[in-house]
């Protein structure tokens, strides 16, 4: 847990101009706090981080994980990327590509990469995707929708995948609320577990 706390504190303590989102989620099986940090520097550099702290009701287990990478643009939207994933169970450094684009109400962050798992001592392939769509409904509200997809494969088998889904409303002051779900798949048979609940969040 100690190796998670410093990156998470770093994620939530930045005071520079950047896009920061914080969401609280309460489901039937777990509660979760999600933080996203996305910063473009004046040069061609970009820093992206996503961190979660979740609590499982049945096992009474607290889990924390951080995904972060440093990206260098080689064209308008494409870049090269290096970073890693840290959790209670594993540390996975990664290197690959980045696709970052915002156009109107739609934004996407896409990070395909080669990974190495210190837990299984295997190379693999990882993909992290964040998409948000917030079209205007009226003078007071936007539709708010968000999808986060993560997948990790060794070169031999599927390790694990997860999806975070949010659908609701967003006010003009970037306060978000609505329905949510967290879904996970594990193993080669993609054994699936789904949780459903509500969320509230704020974008700064």
């Amino acid at each position: 847990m100690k190796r998670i706390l410093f990156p998470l504190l770093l994620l939530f303590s930045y005071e520079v101009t950047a896009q920061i989102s914080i969401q609280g989620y309460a489901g039937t099986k777990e509660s979760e706090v999600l933080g996203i940090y996305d910063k473009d520097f004046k040069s061609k550099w970009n820093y992206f981080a996503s961190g979660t702290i979740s609590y499982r009701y049945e096992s009474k287990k607290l889990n924390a994980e951080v995904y972060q990478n440093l990206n260098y643009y080689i064209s308008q939207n494409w870049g090269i990327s290096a970073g890693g994933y840290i959790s209670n169970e594993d540390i996975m450094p990664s290197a690959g590509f980045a696709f970052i684009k915002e156009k109107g109400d739609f934004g996407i962050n896409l990070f395909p990469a080669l990974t190495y798992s210190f837990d299984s001592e295997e190379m693999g392939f990882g993909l992290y995707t964040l998409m948000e769509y917030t079209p205007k409904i009226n003078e007071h509200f936007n539709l708010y929708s968000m999808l986060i997809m993560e997948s990790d494969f060794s070169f031999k088998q599927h390790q694990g995948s997860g999806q975070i889904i949010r659908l609701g409303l967003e006010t003009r002051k970037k306060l978000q609320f609505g329905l949510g779900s967290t879904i996970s798949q594990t193993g080669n048979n993609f054994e699936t577990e789904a949780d459903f609940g509500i969320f509230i969040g704020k974008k700064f």
Side-chain angles (χ1 to χ4, degrees), residues 43-56:
S43 61
K44 294 184 177 182
W45 293 94
N46 167 271
Y47 175 74
F48 178 88
S50 173
T52 60
I53 298 175
S54 61
Y55 178 75
R56 300 281 296 186

Side-chain angles (χ1 to χ4, degrees), residues 63-129:
N63 295 305
E65 58 184 43
V66 175
Y67 174 83
Q68 58 184 335
N69 51 40
L70 187 62
N71 311 297
Y72 181 78
Y73 290 105
I74 55 178
S75 67
Q76 184 177 0
N77 301 116
W78 283 97
I80 54 176
S81 177
Y85 167 85
I86 305 172
S87 70
N88 295 351
E89 291 81 22
D90 202 359
I91 297 177
M92 296 176 61
S94 63
F97 296 96
F99 179 77
I100 302 170
K101 185 173 183 179
E102 289 189 20
K103 185 175 182 181
D105 302 323
F106 179 75
I108 182 170
N109 296 67
L110 180 68
F111 304 109
L114 292 174
T115 63
Y116 178 79
S117 168
F118 280 96
D119 181 55
S120 63
E121 297 183 342
E122 289 185 318
M123 293 286 294
F125 174 77
L127 178 63
Y128 179 98
T129 306

